[in-house]
Structures are given as structure tokens and as C-alpha cells.
Amino acid sequence: MDITERFINYTKFDTQSSEDSQTVPSTSKQLLFAEYLKKELINEGLDDVEMDDKGYIYATLKSNIQKEVPTIGFISHYDTSPDCSGENVKARVIKNYDGKDIILSPGIVSSTVKFPELLQHVGEDLIVTDGKTLLGADDKAGIAEIVQAMCFLRDHQEIKHGDIRVAFNPDEEIGMGAHHFDVKKFGCEWAYTMDGGDLGELEYENFNAASAKVKLHGVSVHPGYAKGKMINANRLAAEFIALLPAEETPEQTEGYEGFYHLLGIQSGIELAQLSYIIRDHDREKFEQRKKFITECADIMNSRYGEGTCEIVVNDQYYNMKEMIDPCRQVVDIVTKAMTDCGISPQVKPIRGGTDGAQLSFKGLPCPNIFAGGVNFHGPYEFISIQVMEKAMSLIVRICQLAASPAN
């Protein structure tokens, strides 16, 4: 089976996770794909294949050398984003892309003006959707690349490597992917998540992240007799939102700039609920942001009375750079492997999170490598087959370098 067929097979499974669920995994349909993937790994001849009751899959490609070398790992998640449907994905291959707008379905066009990233892949073979679902390259492309690399190493015994561990998990898209990951069972000195974007991306810096849940309590009175009595929670919500700096939102920031992101509003006269995420690469600025949004709640209470505004701020994950810096060889190996594979490393901070960040803080240094997908989490998502193949070759080369005497 080639990597294209393997990936398209994966996209046929709806594995969308859910932020509203309390189960692990958050949706039972993820387990259907997990069972399929477990059987595939067994059929491909990997060892120690197991899946726990939460849908975490672990397997090993055994060493083909006698000497003792580091055990390294590769990790990808199989859930897809709650932001866009992953049901009935219709993946289609466009051979030798010509650089023009792509008609996904009648009336649905992937435009090079809106998505100039397409032009970086002229002449390549692209996999697209019909414009009605996401594709699921985030992160089924990563899984396909890892499995394909393991099969390649299995079939090419002349390429020497140590024990290679692979793991696939649910619920990364809702920030829970690493919570039940068994680092001890995985048994690696370090690992890589194949969960980045386009060709060459290498990430070992990510946001520090927190969530903030805000409740604003109003008082409902008949509007004809409301003067001096009503407190409209809808207006309280608007007032709270206005306290936060308008220029520090995702649509106004880039690079290392942090933000406050209003995810959702549920609002009425008596109660308004706001859901935020808070992000910053700098740990000190991150702490300041959490303090500031809490102070905004204090301002509302000073204006309208104690208990008007409740806020709960919870940390989600931290910048993995502080855990990667002490063991820079894990990055050096990737950059050398990229150079060896003719790939120009594109080192940049993640404006988001990855399972690797949480795993790094659990004792498993875990930079993030490109998987090849572009325009994640939406119907205009696409991936280049040639980039997937390069990612697979990169995994192979990393395995080889990790077992070499220089490392």
C-alpha cells in the first residue's frame, strides 16, 4: 500500500473530537478508527501492538542492530477538529496541480488569491476535499507518514536503526491528547510529533496556554419597569469584552505576539457566559495576561457589586522550549536529517499547541515536525503527496541518525 492510499483510507473515518464530552476518548467514533489502525499495525508486522481502554495505541519496530542505541518515538493524533465536519470526507487527488483555482464542488472554489499557499505546490499532486468537510490531514497525514516509514524500514534491513516506538492518540484537538499518554510505557529517550504544517516546518516553541470561563450575573425585570432595577447580562458581557485590548486578538497578532481569544458567548438577561483562551510564548507575559483578565472581573464587580462577575482561569499547557533547550540533540538530529533529505528547515514558533508540549513537561522531549497539511480545520484543507513522501523519508533518516555513533 502506498502512502496516498493509506492516507485516503484514514480520511474515510469520522474521528471528530468534542469539547463538550467528559469521556475518554471524547467521541466513541474515534475508537472505530483506533481499532482499524491497531489491526493495520499488526498486519504490517509491528511488534508490541496494544491499545488501552482510552484508545491510545502503542507499537514497536524492533531494532536491527546489536549495539545499544537510544529508543526514539514518533507520535500523531487521530482525532480531527470540532471546528468543521469530518463526516463523509470525499478526498480527491489533483495530479500535477497547474496553479489555478481549484473547483472543489459547484460554487465552492479554493482560490489562489485567498489561499496563496497553493502556489507553492505547482506541479505536485494535491489531495483536496469537496469543500464540505475538512480533509483530516491534521493529523492523519502524520499517522500515514509514520506507518509508511515503519514499513519502509521493515523492508529495507540495510538501513540500521534501534528500537522505534510509535504511538497514536485521541483528543489532541481539544487539548487532551497527552493527558492519558503513558510516557513510561512508551519507553523512549525522546520523540517527535508529526503534527506540523507545510514542508520543512520544525517547531520546538509553542504558546503557553490557559482557558478562562467568565460568568456575568444580571437581574431580569419587566423592561417597562426596569429603570434602576434591571442589570442586563448581555450588556455586561459587551462591557467585559471591551475591557480587553482589541488589538490583542488572533486576527491582529502574529509571530511571538500573544492574544486573548473569545471562543464563544452564551447570553441572556440574567446570565452571560464567555469562553476565552489566553496565549503567549513568553511565560512572564503569559502570567501577566492571566492576571489582567482576572482584574477585569474585579472591575466588573466593583461597578455592579460583588458576585456579578465570576471567572475561572485554568492553565492548559506551557512552552516546550524550556524542556527542549537542555537536550538540543533532539533538534540537531532533525535539522541534519532535513538537510540530508534536501529539505530546508523552517524553524518557527507554533502559534498554538501540540501534544509534544505536554509530553515534554511529562519528561519526554518532543519537538514537532511537519506533516504537510495546509489550511487545517476547514473545507479548503489540502496536502501534497510529494510533501507526505518527504516527511516519510525524513522519519527514516531520523531513525538512521539516532542510531549512528555520532549520536
Side-chain angles (χ1 to χ4, degrees), residues 33 39 42 64 68 149 151 169 187 240 274 294 340 345 376 400:
F33 178 65
K39 291 176 183 176
I42 293 170
N64 62 1
E68 187 173 330
C151 292
N169 60 269
F240 183 92
L274 309 178
T294 302
D340 292 348
F376 289 154
Q400 191 175 22

Side-chain angles (χ1 to χ4, degrees), residues 15 162 218 233 370 388 399 406:
T15 56
F370 71 93
M388 291 178 68
C399 294

Side-chain angles (χ1 to χ4, degrees), residues 272-323:
Q273 299 183 79
L274 309 178
S275 177
Y276 281 93
I277 57 173
I278 304 165
R279 300 289 189 263
D280 210 298
H281 284 92
D282 184 279
R283 186 65 174 266
E284 183 177 345
K285 291 180 180 178
F286 173 63
E287 297 298 332
Q288 290 171 355
R289 287 187 181 280
K290 292 190 295 179
K291 183 173 182 287
F292 180 74
I293 199 169
T294 302
E295 289 172 347
C296 289
D298 294 337
I299 291 170
M300 296 300 293
N301 285 327
S302 69
R303 291 176 182 176
Y304 297 99
E306 195 63 35
T308 298
C309 185
E310 300 176 66
I311 186 167
V312 176
V313 178
N314 287 314
D315 287 358
Q316 295 173 309
Y317 51 83
Y318 303 107
N319 190 343
M320 70 170 116
K321 185 177 187 294
E322 61 185 273
M323 307 305 294

Side-chain angles (χ1 to χ4, degrees), residues 50-355:
E50 60 178 308
M51 184 177 81
D52 66 19
D53 61 345
K54 294 179 173 61
Y56 288 69
I57 302 169
Y58 306 92
T60 307
L61 181 70
K62 293 290 189 182
S63 173
N64 62 1
I65 54 179
Q66 297 300 316
K67 65 180 180 179
E68 187 173 330
V69 297
T71 297
I72 67 169
F74 295 89
I75 303 164
S76 288
H77 65 90
Y78 54 75
D79 67 311
T80 59
S81 171
D83 295 345
C84 184
S85 173
E87 184 178 8
N88 196 25
V89 173
K90 291 183 171 62
R92 172 169 64 102
V93 178
I94 297 176
K95 293 282 189 180
N96 192 22
Y97 171 58
D98 60 7
K100 298 179 181 178
D101 291 354
I102 301 172
I103 298 174
L104 302 176
S105 286
I108 305 176
V109 178
S110 187
S111 161
T112 57
V113 173
K114 190 171 183 179
F115 304 109
E117 301 88 352
L118 283 164
L119 298 177
Q120 298 175 24
H121 298 280
V122 173
E124 299 174 10
D125 303 321
L126 306 185
I127 305 176
V128 300
T129 73
D130 64 356
K132 299 175 183 177
T133 68
L134 49 65
L135 179 62
D138 181 13
D139 190 25
K140 290 170 184 170
I143 299 174
E145 291 151 7
I146 292 169
V147 175
Q148 202 71 23
M150 296 305 103
C151 292
F152 186 89
L153 288 168
R154 175 201 64 197
D155 296 339
H156 291 79
Q157 290 296 309
E158 72 277 9
I159 300 175
K160 302 305 178 184
H161 60 84
D163 282 347
I164 309 298
R165 292 281 279 162
V166 302
F168 307 117
N169 60 269
D171 290 342
E172 188 270 353
E173 296 292 356
I174 59 171
M176 301 295 290
H179 284 212
H180 300 280
F181 192 104
D182 193 331
V183 169
K184 184 177 180 181
K185 177 188 289 185
F186 197 44
C188 294
E189 292 191 31
W190 73 85
Y192 302 96
T193 50
M194 300 297 297
D195 192 20
D198 212 344
L199 180 66
E201 287 189 9
L202 171 59
E203 301 157 327
Y204 55 90
E205 297 181 65
N206 61 280
F207 277 139
N208 295 291
S211 65
K213 304 293 184 183
V214 182
K215 288 185 179 181
L216 295 144
H217 298 277
V219 177
S220 180
V221 179
H222 188 290
Y225 308 94
K227 185 174 181 179
K229 301 173 184 175
M230 177 186 285
I231 300 176
N232 190 332
N234 295 300
R235 293 187 179 278
L236 294 180
E239 193 171 329
F240 183 92
I241 292 167
L243 291 173
L244 296 172
E247 70 279 6
E248 296 181 17
T249 61
E251 59 268 37
Q252 300 287 335
T253 54
E254 62 184 352
Y256 284 96
E257 296 171 335
F259 58 72
Y260 304 92
H261 180 35
L262 179 60
L263 291 178
I265 305 172
Q266 292 179 308
S267 188
I269 302 296
E270 289 194 323
L271 178 65
Q273 299 183 79
L274 309 178
S275 177
Y276 281 93
I277 57 173
I278 304 165
R279 300 289 189 263
D280 210 298
H281 284 92
D282 184 279
R283 186 65 174 266
E284 183 177 345
K285 291 180 180 178
F286 173 63
E287 297 298 332
Q288 290 171 355
R289 287 187 181 280
K290 292 190 295 179
K291 183 173 182 287
F292 180 74
I293 199 169
T294 302
E295 289 172 347
C296 289
D298 294 337
I299 291 170
M300 296 300 293
N301 285 327
S302 69
R303 291 176 182 176
Y304 297 99
E306 195 63 35
T308 298
C309 185
E310 300 176 66
I311 186 167
V312 176
V313 178
N314 287 314
D315 287 358
Q316 295 173 309
Y317 51 83
Y318 303 107
N319 190 343
M320 70 170 116
K321 185 177 187 294
E322 61 185 273
M323 307 305 294
I324 299 295
D325 280 345
C327 46
R328 287 284 302 190
Q329 79 275 8
V330 305
V331 174
D332 294 340
I333 286 173
V334 181
T335 53
K336 183 177 186 336
M338 284 188 179
T339 302
D340 292 348
C341 292
I343 301 168
S344 177
Q346 306 295 321
V347 180
K348 63 180 186 178
I350 308 171
R351 284 186 60 80
T354 171
D355 282 340

